[in-house]
Amino acid sequence: MVTTRRSAPLLLLLLLGALLALPQVLPRFHTYVAEIVLLTALLATSLNLAIGYTGLYQFGHAVFYGIGAYGTALTLTRSGMPAPVAFLAGPLAAAVLSLLMGLICIRLSKLYFGMIQISLGSLVWAVVYRWYSFTGGDDGIHGIPLPDAIGSPEGSYYFTLAVTALGVFAMYRIVRSPFGKVLQGIRDNPVRAAAIGVDVKLHQLAVLVIAGFFGGVAGSLFVVVENSVFPDMMFWTFSLEVLIMCLLGGMYTFFGPFVGASAIVLLRVFASVHTQYWSLILGTILTLVIIFLPDGVLGVFVRRPRAREAPDA
Amino acid sequence: MDFASNLFSAGTLSQILVGLSRTTILFIVSSGMSLILGVLRIPNVAHGSLYMIGAFAAWSVIQFLGGGLFAFLAAMLVAPLIVAAVGFVLERGFFSYLYEREHLMLLLLTFAFMLILGDLVKIVWGPEYRSVTVPAFFQGSAEIFGLPLPWYNLFLLVVGPCIAVLLWLVINRTNLGKIARAAAVDGEMVGAVGVNVGWVFAFTFVLGSFLAGLGGALIAPMVNISLGMDHSLIMETFLIVIIGGLGNMWGALLGSLIFGLSQSLGILVWPQFGIAFPYLAVVAVLVVRPRGLLRSTW
């Protein structure tokens, strides 16, 4: 796949150019859809740090997205703090929650880890859903005031694009760093990684915090795009939907989740015009992908890492 | 002293009994999930959909037979059988080819089935709420320590222990049950001594589906039968089997009791956040015993 490697930077530049020009040439609704695609892609990429690169079954990822959004929304509406603080508060809250949940889950492996995470996630959801006086309960929070610079349609698009690009670039550097290589070593064989002196739990916790942080960043972008937050964005079914995005695009490639997220968001927008049976379509796609394309769309071009059935850590 | 006076009032006992009858449903459904988890190692997210199909199917059977006690009792048997048939199709049609894959793939496949089954229910039964009235035989209430308890809740309180005993007999006293238990501990070894593991898995999945359908049929008279009744239930069931210990039948019972009772008592202690109490109980258990209270088969 040498040709792919060589042409990749060029492709990315072309893509970035197209994205920069997008609001100038397409109507407002398309720009809005593009914003959703971008922030969802950021979310899926952050999940993939944990699941694709470290082998941690992060089944509650939507919670960090939701807490990122709520952190930002609550700071903007209730505290009177300046916007930059709010945009930092959300992701930081998500990172802290990720650390706390990680400390409980990290003692267990694989599916057990995942099931406890999904359960703790629904606990957080239940609290947000019920705490009317603070979070607005099931109504969520609407009409969140935004600074003028990002309040306009174009402003919010370029802000979303810039933050997504920076976030994805940062995660790309993390994956390519020695730290990232250690994560992949843990994924492929935790026992071997421990044997050569890697502190497995510490690395796992670190990647959970990083994934939670970027998931929270995606949530903050949601506030910019939608001006509102609601508890269903952190419901466990959405966590699994983001997981589908990673799987569809290819979990063992960096840009797989990006491709998967774009495909699913666009499909959903397209399908919702024509049918009310989106779940049926998504379920069928997922079934077909699992049976015929278990390595995802981009996985077709990349050799899959070996030792998937390594002993649990 | 609001909390205390709430807790030690006359209504507490009846609240506990009502909570216990809901616990019965939780136990029936989560014991099915626990079976599937223990033997097949699949956290079956579609389990809630099977429960929902059980409730809708019970409604249809009762409509078909025109109501009355007989129709009701027939529905309690036929609806779970329909769900068991759905389970059979899912297991033989899809899962049986994919057991070699990673568990992550199997979990996502059950999620795919949840999405598909949810929309199929919408297509078959439509998006409206359905409700089943309790047959005349179960209407009215019994007096327990001077407080009324609906006969139907009392009926559930009898059904729950019966199911527990029956399940115990199937699992511990029949050959199939013994083989399934052995497969839960070491599937490869069971295969090596000449047992067709595929059919053990099919049997387990069908039995688990039957239990999910039975739970759905039994709860039909107590709730609005609606699309989305699978969503909240599946998470409660997950929590129950996790705090009980994955794959442990008694764990499912213990987990249901903890979950159901903390729910009904929580509402007494703190009405607004009563719903959070079972979740707090779960976190408390997980912090102390991350693998659950009883020994897991995992």
Side-chain angles (χ1 to χ4, degrees), chain B residues 70-106:
Chain B
F70 170 72
F72 179 79
L73 293 178
M76 294 304 116
L77 187 66
V78 175
L81 284 176
I82 293 172
V83 176
V86 174
F88 183 79
V89 171
L90 292 184
E91 203 281 336
R92 286 291 96 183
F94 295 93
F95 289 113
S96 61
Y97 301 108
L98 297 167
Y99 284 124
E100 299 298 309
R101 298 279 183 85
E102 287 166 72
H103 291 304
L104 176 63
M105 295 296 174
L106 290 175

Side-chain angles (χ1 to χ4, degrees), chain B residues 56 59 125-132 223-229:
Chain B
F56 274 101
W59 177 85
W125 280 284
E128 306 88 26
Y129 285 123
R130 308 283 181 183
S131 57
V132 166
V223 293
N224 278 325
I225 304 167
S226 66
L227 299 168
M229 65 189 285

Side-chain angles (χ1 to χ4, degrees), chain B residues 12 24 34 82 90 176 191 208 250 259-260 266 278:
Chain B
T12 305
T24 299
S34 191
I82 293 172
L90 292 184
L176 210 46
W250 298 114
F259 203 88

Side-chain angles (χ1 to χ4, degrees), chain A residues 147-237:
Chain A
D148 293 336
I150 55 174
S152 69
E154 250 179 50
S156 92
Y157 176 80
Y158 283 116
F159 183 72
T160 307
L161 179 59
V163 173
T164 302
L166 277 176
V168 170
F169 179 67
M171 285 190 273
Y172 185 76
R173 294 308 303 237
I174 289 171
V175 163
R176 289 293 148 116
S177 71
F179 172 74
K181 295 294 172 201
V182 174
L183 297 182
Q184 291 162 56
I186 291 172
R187 172 194 68 193
D188 292 339
N189 194 334
V191 175
R192 191 174 58 199
I196 58 171
V198 172
D199 188 337
V200 173
K201 302 278 181 219
L202 190 70
H203 279 79
Q204 288 175 331
L205 271 180
V207 81
L208 285 177
V209 170
I210 294 169
F213 178 84
F214 284 108
V217 172
S220 292
L221 287 180
F222 185 88
V223 174
V224 175
V225 175
E226 297 280 358
N227 278 356
S228 63
V229 289
F230 40 86
D232 271 2
M233 63 188 292
M234 58 173 95
F235 198 55
W236 64 272
T237 52

Side-chain angles (χ1 to χ4, degrees), chain B residues 58-72 133:
Chain B
W59 177 85
S60 286
V61 172
I62 290 171
Q63 293 296 308
F64 183 74
L65 293 177
L69 181 64
F70 170 72
F72 179 79
T133 43

Side-chain angles (χ1 to χ4, degrees), chain A residues 43 46-47 50 57-72 89-103 105 113 116-118 120-121 124-125 207-222 233-235 238-239:
Chain A
L43 177 66
S46 72
L47 167 61
Y57 284 5
Q58 172 101 324
F59 289 167
H61 201 60
V63 165
F64 309 119
Y65 177 61
I67 291 301
Y70 269 90
T72 300
L92 283 179
V96 170
L97 179 71
S98 191
L99 178 66
L100 292 177
M101 279 170 62
L103 281 171
C105 307
F113 175 99
I116 290 185
Q117 230 221 6
I118 205 172
L120 290 175
V124 174
W125 170 84
V207 81
L208 285 177
V209 170
I210 294 169
F213 178 84
F214 284 108
V217 172
S220 292
L221 287 180
F222 185 88
M233 63 188 292
M234 58 173 95
F235 198 55
F238 187 60
S239 296

